[in-house]
Amino acid sequence: PSPDPTNGKSHIVMFPHIPDFSRDDPVKRWEAVKPFLDQAGAVADYIELPVRWKDLEAMPGVFDWTWLDKVVNYAQEKGLKLIIDPQFV
């Protein structure tokens, strides 16, 4: 078994809370994620954030970290701990 990155503390998976219609639009994705981050600390120690690789590398060798950087920075401001889970589907 792989080690538990949360050391047994509570965590919640963020991505199911992002509506399908907003997943391909970074502005709508942020609008869906921000309220979640605003409240997540009240119920979990860690937030698991599945990230679609195609959102970071839309074309081979062309990376855009803007959205993920925004989420990570905001989570840090809120004192939240993120587990980034890259998705290659």
Side-chain angles (χ1 to χ4, degrees), residues 22-33 67 70:
S22 68
R23 289 186 180 176
D24 291 325
D25 180 340
V27 172
K28 289 182 181 177
R29 202 175 331 133
W30 172 247
E31 290 170 355
V33 167
W67 181 81
K70 187 173 189 172

Side-chain angles (χ1 to χ4, degrees), residues 55-89:
D55 293 335
L56 303 176
E57 185 183 21
M59 297 183 337
V62 178
F63 297 91
D64 182 358
W65 299 96
T66 307
W67 181 81
L68 185 58
D69 285 344
K70 187 173 189 172
V71 171
V72 169
N73 290 335
Y74 192 74
Q76 286 179 332
E77 289 173 16
K78 293 287 194 180
L80 301 170
K81 298 173 189 112
L82 290 179
I83 300 169
I84 306 297
D85 180 13
Q87 306 287 307
F88 299 99
V89 180

Side-chain angles (χ1 to χ4, degrees), residues 7-68:
N7 293 319
K9 295 187 177 181
S10 63
H11 82 281
I12 188 168
V13 178
M14 183 185 299
F15 212 46
H17 302 281
I18 301 174
D20 285 338
F21 69 84
S22 68
R23 289 186 180 176
D24 291 325
D25 180 340
V27 172
K28 289 182 181 177
R29 202 175 331 133
W30 172 247
E31 290 170 355
V33 167
K34 184 182 179 297
F36 181 88
L37 291 173
D38 287 337
Q39 298 176 32
V43 296
D45 297 305
Y46 288 83
I47 313 307
E48 183 176 340
L49 175 62
V51 176
R52 297 181 312 173
W53 190 254
K54 72 177 191 170
D55 293 335
L56 303 176
E57 185 183 21
M59 297 183 337
V62 178
F63 297 91
D64 182 358
W65 299 96
T66 307
W67 181 81
L68 185 58

